[in-house]
């Protein structure tokens, strides 16, 4: 149960003071009854709220799946580039009961694909905690074409894990074993293959999230990543019906898939 002034304030109706004025005007009803008291308690899971004859969809948390495009950054503000929040409708950018909208992990400015934005800080913390080892899968395009023998060498090296050298101010680290498959492999997941696009040479699943990790892994093999797209996170796969640069709210089923990752 939460106070109605808190709920309406967190759903875009202004400050608590603004909501008090709104309530005094007599245009807010809960289950058909006009509510004037700003301290009125309601349960957003069952109670029906109407403001000025418009039913209000009440949410404790917001979960968004975005198919991120290139040239936008995963930040709230950036003086030089557009941000992923600029791509979201303004009416979804207010503070929810669960908290502020944030990115569940980040993608580089030149990386496309699956990005989850949510107000559920507890879920974000749990899934991104280093001990969780949540799998993240990427479609990767490489600059240098490689032979079948080299593909086998890459796959074996990635499966065992290896040392990644220092980059800029980021320390080197021992890369955990990962799963590398080539687009033509017979056992490749068909949903991953559909999401990969023709720019991709392989599909890589990692279980950590170090700075520029995928790029640094292939650089350690003497190659360069020229295309990178995240296609799944945990058990949740990118919905390929979402156009690049667009998004949708997750269904209840997809939220549960994410929670069970």
């Amino acid at each position: 149960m939460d106070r109605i002034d808190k709920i309406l304030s967190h759903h875009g109706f202004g400050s608590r003071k603004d909501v008090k004025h709104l309530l005094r005007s007599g245009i807010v009803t809960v289950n058909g009854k006009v509510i004037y008291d700003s301290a009125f308690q309601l349960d957003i899971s069952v109670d029906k709220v109407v403001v000025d004859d418009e039913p209000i969809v009440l949410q404790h948390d917001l979960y968004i799946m975005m198919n991120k495009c290139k040239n936008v950054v995963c930040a709230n503000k950036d003086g030089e580039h557009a941000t992923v929040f600029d791509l979201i409708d303004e009416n979804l950018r207010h503070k929810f009961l669960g908290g502020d909208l944030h990115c569940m992990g980040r993608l580089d400015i030149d990386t496309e694909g699956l990005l989850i934005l949510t107000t559920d800080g507890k879920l974000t913390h749990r899934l991104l905690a280093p001990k969780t080892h949540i799998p993240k899968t990427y479609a990767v395009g490489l600059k240098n074409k490689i032979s079948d023998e080299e593909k086998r060498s890459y796959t074996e090296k990635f499966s065992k894990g290896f040392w990644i050298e220092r980059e800029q101010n980021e320390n080197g680290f021992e890369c955990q074993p990962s799963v590398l498959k080539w687009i033509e492999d017979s056992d490749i997941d068909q949903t991953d293959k559909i999401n990969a696009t023709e720019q991709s040479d392989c599909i890589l699943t990692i279980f950590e999230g170090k700075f520029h990790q995928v790029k640094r892994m292939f650089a350690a093999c003497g190659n360069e990543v020229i295309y990178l797209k995240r296609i799944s996170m945990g058990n949740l796969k990118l919905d390929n019906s979402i156009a690049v640069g667009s998004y949708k709210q997750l269904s209840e089923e997809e939220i549960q898939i994410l929670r069970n990752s």
Side-chain angles (χ1 to χ4, degrees), residues 30-179:
V30 176
N31 302 326
K33 179 183 176 181
V34 177
I35 303 299
Y36 298 98
D37 182 6
S38 61
F40 179 84
Q41 299 275 325
L42 62 89
D43 183 346
I44 66 171
S45 65
V46 295
D47 292 323
K48 308 299 181 185
V49 178
V50 175
V51 178
D52 199 16
D53 296 326
E54 283 288 328
I56 306 302
V57 178
L58 300 177
Q59 295 174 259
H60 187 276
D61 281 300
L62 179 66
Y63 302 85
I64 288 175
M65 175 187 290
M66 177 179 288
N67 188 355
K68 179 187 171 294
C69 55
K70 295 180 180 180
N71 301 319
V72 295
V73 296
C74 295
N76 289 316
K77 293 181 180 180
D78 187 278
E80 185 177 355
H81 302 97
T83 78
V84 293
F85 296 95
D86 294 327
L87 304 177
I88 297 174
D89 289 345
E90 190 172 350
N91 66 348
L92 294 176
R93 285 187 251 159
H94 59 81
K95 186 179 180 70
F96 281 71
L97 292 173
D100 294 317
L101 189 63
H102 60 271
C103 297
M104 185 181 283
R106 295 173 180 268
L107 294 176
D108 293 340
I109 188 170
D110 58 351
T111 302
E112 299 179 359
L114 177 63
L115 180 68
I116 302 299
L117 298 100
T118 184
T119 58
D120 191 339
K122 289 183 178 179
L123 181 60
T124 297
H125 178 74
R126 180 173 68 81
L127 294 183
L128 297 187
K131 64 180 181 181
T132 306
H133 303 304
I134 182 173
K136 294 172 280 287
T137 300
Y138 296 83
V140 184
L142 299 173
K143 182 176 181 179
N144 303 322
K145 299 305 176 184
I146 57 178
S147 66
D148 290 341
E149 182 178 348
E150 288 173 317
K151 288 178 181 179
R152 288 191 290 272
S153 174
Y154 278 45
T155 301
E156 181 179 2
K157 182 172 184 176
F158 280 40
S159 70
K160 294 179 178 178
F162 55 95
W163 178 256
I164 298 290
E165 296 295 338
R166 179 184 181 88
E167 179 179 314
Q168 299 176 19
N169 294 324
E170 297 293 325
N171 291 329
F173 66 97
E174 186 67 31
C175 178
Q176 295 179 18
S178 55
V179 180

Side-chain angles (χ1 to χ4, degrees), residues 67 195 238-244 246 248:
N67 188 355
N195 272 321
L238 176 65
D239 182 341
N240 58 38
S241 69
I242 305 174
V244 177
S246 298
K248 71 169 189 177

Side-chain angles (χ1 to χ4, degrees), residues 158 162 164 175 178 204 206 213-221:
F158 280 40
F162 55 95
I164 298 290
C175 178
S178 55
L204 174 66
I206 60 175
Q213 181 171 340
V214 175
K215 297 173 184 176
R216 293 165 73 184
M217 289 173 73
F218 283 98
C221 295

